[in-house]
Amino acid sequence: MATLLHLDSAVFPQGSTSREVTAAFVTAWREQHPDGEVVYRDLAATPLPHLDASAVAAGAEDPLRGELAAELAAADAVLIGAPMYNFSIPSTLKAWLDQVIIVGHNAGPGSPVAGTPVTVVASRGGSYAPGTPREEFEFVQNYLEKVLTGMLGAEVDFIVPELTLAHSKPEMAELIPLADASRTQAFTDAAEKAKALAARLAA
């Protein structure tokens, strides 16, 4: 029985594209793997404390850090909702990363997380794709790919619904068709990736 660790970090519980796409991923996962387990953390509703000196010194012996690290190590796959806020990830997601990554325990050679597939839903109000005017402001995918692979050795894949503000900002009205296409593709990708991953882990 495979276990999926699902993290959401969008501030708003409704109307969040990242939450809607991660929910679609979980639905497809459950359909493909009904006996699997889903462990859920809403980092916005129940934020974790920022890392402090005592927690750093304690490492995996710190009760919270030990719990989070064990939860991550036990997961066969991880799903992260990571909307772009001010060109980067939500502070609540950064707090989880700071707490869960423990050098000498799960970060570095021999990490128990090595090879774990991680799917990140990296939604954003505009477009930061290669070749766009704001390409150099993209710090969500770049950061998460480096920290999750470089420190934990995870296998990272991204779903990127973009232009999510097109329907609410008049100056972006001409981009609505592209926004709708990106949203549709994100839901398609979520379903396909969830089914493929569930089948792979069940094999």
Side-chain angles (χ1 to χ4, degrees):
M1 181 178 72
T3 298
L4 174 68
L5 174 60
H6 172 196
L7 310 171
D8 274 327
S9 60
V11 170
F12 296 106
Q14 281 85 38
S16 160
T17 298
S18 68
R19 286 180 182 270
E20 291 172 353
V21 176
T22 60
F25 185 104
V26 172
T27 296
W29 167 280
R30 291 186 187 278
E31 289 174 352
Q32 184 70 29
H33 195 45
D35 295 328
E37 180 181 5
V38 177
V39 176
Y40 181 61
R41 281 188 179 271
D42 187 333
L43 299 174
T46 309
L48 298 169
H50 289 294
L51 195 62
D52 59 21
S54 62
V56 171
E61 298 302 315
D62 177 84
L64 176 58
R65 300 192 77 193
E67 175 188 345
L68 294 172
E71 190 173 78
L72 177 59
D76 297 290
V78 181
L79 172 66
I80 301 175
M84 178 184 280
Y85 292 162
N86 298 321
F87 307 125
S88 187
I89 63 173
S91 62
T92 51
L93 179 55
K94 181 60 165 60
W96 178 80
L97 289 165
D98 288 342
Q99 293 282 5
V100 81
I101 297 174
I102 306 171
V103 176
H105 180 71
N106 62 7
S111 171
V113 186
T116 300
V118 178
T119 304
V120 179
V121 178
S123 60
R124 59 276 313 274
S127 179
Y128 301 80
T132 62
R134 288 197 165 187
E135 175 184 356
E136 64 181 18
F137 290 89
E138 207 299 304
F139 300 110
V140 174
Q141 288 176 265
N142 288 336
Y143 169 70
L144 289 176
E145 193 276 331
K146 295 297 187 295
V147 74
L148 292 171
T149 62
M151 297 193 75
L152 296 173
E155 174 190 308
V156 184
D157 191 20
F158 290 93
I159 298 172
V160 187
E162 60 180 14
L163 302 169
T164 62
L165 292 177
H167 283 275
S168 60
K169 290 189 172 293
E171 63 270 27
M172 295 178 67
E174 64 180 16
L175 299 174
I176 287 176
L178 291 175
D180 290 345
S182 178
R183 178 181 173 86
T184 298
Q185 187 62 54
F187 281 104
T188 298
D189 289 347
E192 291 179 351
K193 291 177 186 294
K195 290 176 181 177
L197 187 56
R200 167 182 154 189
L201 294 174

